[in-house]
Amino acid sequence: MHRYQGAQPVSGPAYAGPFKIVSTVIVLVLLGYGFAIALRFPLLSYGFGVKLVLVGATSLLIASWYWFIRGTTTIDADGMRQSAMIDKRVRWDEVRSAKMLGVPFLGWLFPPRLVVRSSNGFTTFNGGSQALLIEFANIALASQRQDPAAP
């Protein structure tokens, strides 16, 4: 795909408001459930390995939730990037094709994602704002114009 040129840089949340609300509720329920279990069982009497697994699982749950809430996606002259627990970045010269994929009947919770095929494999970008989704559609359309057989 040739170098895509949008009208201006676009940046916004990686995940939409409804997804953030649902993920927050799920995290709070899981933390509450974990706390209730901790009160019922003598967790301090278990071995170091069990304690380490519980602390690790709780840490991963909180870290994942944090990046659902704070993650941003940016599209600019250099390419696309998304801040997350592990940042994603694809430069325009690496892009071979792009396609938007959505979850049927759950678009209100899971907006379409942009799947980019690059020289390094596939990368999925999430867009939680209308401006990002419009730019995703423009990128996918530009990719189709360049390569009609793109996935």
Side-chain angles (χ1 to χ4, degrees), residues 48-59:
F48 177 75
V50 171
K51 294 174 193 171
L52 186 63
V53 167
L54 292 174
V55 168
T58 303
S59 299

Side-chain angles (χ1 to χ4, degrees), residues 18-89:
F19 184 85
K20 291 178 181 183
I21 292 168
V22 170
S23 67
T24 299
V25 168
I26 290 171
V27 167
L28 291 175
V29 166
L30 287 172
L31 289 175
Y33 183 66
F35 186 71
I37 288 175
L39 292 177
R40 280 189 243 148
F41 293 96
L43 295 179
L44 295 178
S45 66
Y46 290 111
F48 177 75
V50 171
K51 294 174 193 171
L52 186 63
V53 167
L54 292 174
V55 168
T58 303
S59 299
L60 283 174
L61 176 68
I62 292 170
S64 297
W65 171 79
Y66 173 82
W67 284 109
F68 284 147
I69 301 301
R70 301 282 305 182
T72 59
T73 301
T74 302
I75 301 169
D76 58 20
D78 296 328
M80 297 171 273
R81 62 186 175 278
Q82 182 175 323
S83 63
M85 201 176 323
I86 298 173
D87 291 345
K88 304 174 189 180
R89 176 186 280 285

